[in-house]
Amino acid sequence: EESTFTVVDPSWPRALPPSLEGLASFGTEVRYGDSVQLMDRQGRVWVQEGYYAAPRPREGLKPKQEILQIFRKTQRGSKMRMGDTVRYNENRIVLEATTAKSRKRRTIMNYKRGTSRLVGGYVNCQGYGKPMLFTLLKDSGLGSDYKCNLEIQIKHA
């Protein structure tokens, strides 16, 4: 399953303007270890609801409800270090999550009970399930509600 997200700086206002170009840090490189938010085409970001992560409209959320994502590379022998630039077409990327309430970093995982008939599973950052590996792709120009050059596609690897 593919999803397209706009990389959003957590310090930006809750109600984003139609163009992000005037905002501080617009157009800067995203680096491994940076805390960012991934906002989907409907303006939703990830929040923690009980044990699971769910998309909710960013407007109206309190910052402590939001999950911040941190990119981390998983390949053994990789020369990537924290602080290196995140690049398109990189794969085996793990997203770590943190919240304003708890600065502890946890890997975003996919959880499904062994007896469940559910296809897929639930996204969580509570340590349940198997780590989800992602590939970062440049958005193919499908369009977004926000005029921005920081769109990426995340494809579950």
Side-chain angles (χ1 to χ4, degrees):
E1 182 75 26
E2 294 182 9
S3 299
T4 300
F5 297 95
T6 299
V7 178
V8 177
D9 186 319
S11 69
W12 289 351
R14 304 272 139 244
L16 292 174
S19 174
L20 304 178
E21 292 178 20
L23 297 174
S25 75
F26 176 80
T28 59
E29 294 180 335
V30 176
R31 300 182 181 281
Y32 288 103
D34 288 350
S35 292
V36 298
Q37 287 179 310
L38 299 178
M39 184 176 64
D40 68 13
R41 293 184 189 280
Q42 291 80 40
R44 299 176 304 184
V45 296
W46 293 4
V47 299
Q48 187 69 35
E49 292 193 348
Y51 291 107
Y52 306 110
R56 295 290 176 255
R58 187 171 189 256
E59 200 170 333
L61 284 178
K62 295 177 183 160
K64 69 180 182 179
Q65 294 174 284
E66 300 171 351
I67 296 174
L68 305 179
Q69 290 85 32
I70 299 135
F71 293 99
R72 185 169 57 87
K73 188 85 167 161
T74 61
Q75 287 179 307
R76 293 176 193 221
S78 170
K79 294 188 166 89
M80 184 288 306
R81 296 182 314 262
M82 294 307 244
D84 286 352
T85 302
V86 175
R87 302 202 182 280
Y88 292 126
N89 299 319
E90 290 188 314
N91 57 18
R92 301 192 56 78
I93 302 293
V94 168
L95 290 175
E96 292 180 337
T98 187
T99 62
K101 193 164 61 171
S102 167
R103 286 292 176 196
K104 188 185 288 187
R105 289 184 180 187
R106 295 197 175 185
T107 300
I108 293 176
M109 302 180 123
N110 181 11
Y111 173 73
K112 178 174 134 177
R113 287 188 180 178
T115 58
S116 174
R117 294 184 196 161
L118 181 70
V119 176
Y122 295 98
V123 175
N124 78 82
C125 48
Q126 298 294 314
Y128 304 112
K130 297 178 183 176
M132 296 174 68
L133 301 178
F134 299 93
T135 299
L136 302 180
L137 304 170
K138 188 168 186 166
D139 182 47
S140 58
L142 299 172
S144 172
D145 294 339
Y146 295 98
K147 294 183 177 96
C148 174
N149 66 356
L150 295 175
E151 282 194 333
I152 59 171
Q153 267 189 357
I154 294 185
K155 181 177 180 181
H156 187 267

